[in-house]
Amino acid sequence: MGTDLNKLKLECLAIGSVPHNSVNEAINLIRKTFNEVPFWPQMVKVSKNEDMILQYLEGMPSFFSDKSYLDTDYEEFYDDLEQFFTDYESVISKDSKATVMKYGISEKSACAFQSFLNTVKTTKPCFAKGQIVGPFTLATTLVDKDGRCVIYDETLKEIIVKTLTLKAIWQIEKMKSVNPAVTPVIFIDEPSISQLGTSAYVTISDEDVKSMLSEISDVIKDFGSLSAIHCCGKCDWTVPIFSGVNMINLDAYSFAENLSLFSDDVAKFLINGGKIVWGVVPTLDKNALEKMTLEDAIRKFQESVNYLTKRGIDEKLVIDNSLISTSCGAGSLSVELAAKAFELTKELSLKLKEMYR
């Protein structure tokens, strides 16, 4: 990859959702606060189709918008499935850029995407962020006609992994079409992996989830993008780390100490060029966000780093491979609080760059 990844040191970014009703207002805020790594906002207040689950279902065999389950019994299912796998292989082998456009995200499900592309085109950032819902989260949320999680159906699970892969490639191709020099960063949003290993999913192994994540991450990287996994709860961080992503993103405001439990693997991840995106600005705790100052955010970042250095990881190694983010999406906040979260994340990034030159 031609882009210098050192440019990402202590850079700031945000997770997808915003509370705005106006695309222009959301994009203007992003251009101001995340000009180095802009992202396309999920306008969750505008349409239910912008929900992180619904947003990625267009074009998926077995999915119908008027049903609440995945259907494999309709007459054309196997014809649709065969065409889907043919299309997938054509895209993966890079035989046809046109084919992936069949699996894009329409304006009704991503009304701000075109404005985001205009930002990538006109401001020419080195990096730009897209996102997909994680395959484990999607496959444990959707059900078949019998109400059973589709993660237990091998065919439906494969459809989900490949559909999400196509959604990621579509974003990458779109970004590169308006700015060939940009390096896309695709976040895989996996809140549900915090539940992996609990009684609800006791029969699902870590290896199964790593395999799903690796398949998507490997293709993302093969198409010239960086891959990342976001989880906003406690989780076994070896699952994201060993899935081969370039970045891991955690809610460091609430769960920074949890990451240090896996310090040996985190150290190897960083030595091999992996990045930690510290979500130190809280978006899931409105009271905490209202009270937070820049000094508070600096202390939270340093506290988060210290959990790793106390386990023997070199501080410079951590700092040089750190980025800053909000702890999660901002869609549940007021417009004013979302602006504070974004602006505080930007201020924190600038201040830390001064401190750790």
Side-chain angles (χ1 to χ4, degrees), residues 27-28 30-31 34-41 112-131 170-186:
I27 291 292
N28 287 339
I30 291 165
R31 287 176 74 129
F34 300 109
N35 55 303
E36 300 293 341
V37 191
F39 69 98
W40 66 273
F113 191 78
Q114 188 57 52
S115 295
F116 160 72
L117 287 181
N118 291 340
T119 297
V120 175
K121 180 179 181 179
T122 57
T123 66
K124 300 195 182 315
C126 292
F127 301 90
K129 175 183 175 290
Q131 57 268 338
W170 176 79
Q171 293 175 58
I172 294 166
E173 294 296 332
K174 281 289 192 180
M175 287 185 232
K176 286 182 171 289
S177 72
V178 297
N179 178 4
V182 76
T183 297
V185 185
I186 302 296

Side-chain angles (χ1 to χ4, degrees), residues 190-310:
E190 275 287 20
S192 293
I193 60 170
S194 62
Q195 302 301 308
L196 189 60
T198 65
S199 58
Y201 304 116
V202 69
T203 61
I204 301 170
S205 72
D206 290 358
E207 292 306 316
D208 287 340
V209 180
K210 287 176 197 171
S211 176
M212 296 166 74
L213 294 169
S214 294
E215 182 174 338
I216 297 174
S217 175
D218 288 350
V219 174
I220 286 172
K221 291 189 291 184
D222 187 50
F223 274 76
S225 178
L226 299 174
S227 64
I229 288 180
H230 163 76
C231 179
C232 48
K234 288 183 179 180
C235 78
D236 178 348
W237 282 101
T238 64
V239 174
I241 286 171
F242 290 130
S243 67
V245 292
N246 301 105
M247 304 179 187
I248 55 173
N249 176 218
L250 67 151
D251 175 353
Y253 181 83
S254 299
F255 303 116
E257 190 171 10
N258 172 242
L259 181 63
S260 69
L261 299 178
F262 311 94
S263 56
D264 288 348
D265 294 312
V266 171
K268 293 172 188 173
F269 176 68
L270 295 174
I271 289 167
N272 291 326
K275 310 292 182 186
I276 300 173
V277 187
W278 302 95
V280 295
V281 177
T283 52
L284 300 178
D285 185 336
K286 296 177 185 178
N287 292 332
L289 177 58
E290 286 173 348
K291 296 173 184 175
M292 182 172 258
T293 64
L294 177 58
E295 290 70 28
D296 294 332
I298 293 169
R299 279 194 295 272
K300 181 60 72 172
F301 172 76
Q302 292 175 327
E303 176 186 284
S304 300
V305 171
N306 285 343
Y307 284 127
L308 293 182
T309 58
K310 286 176 183 175

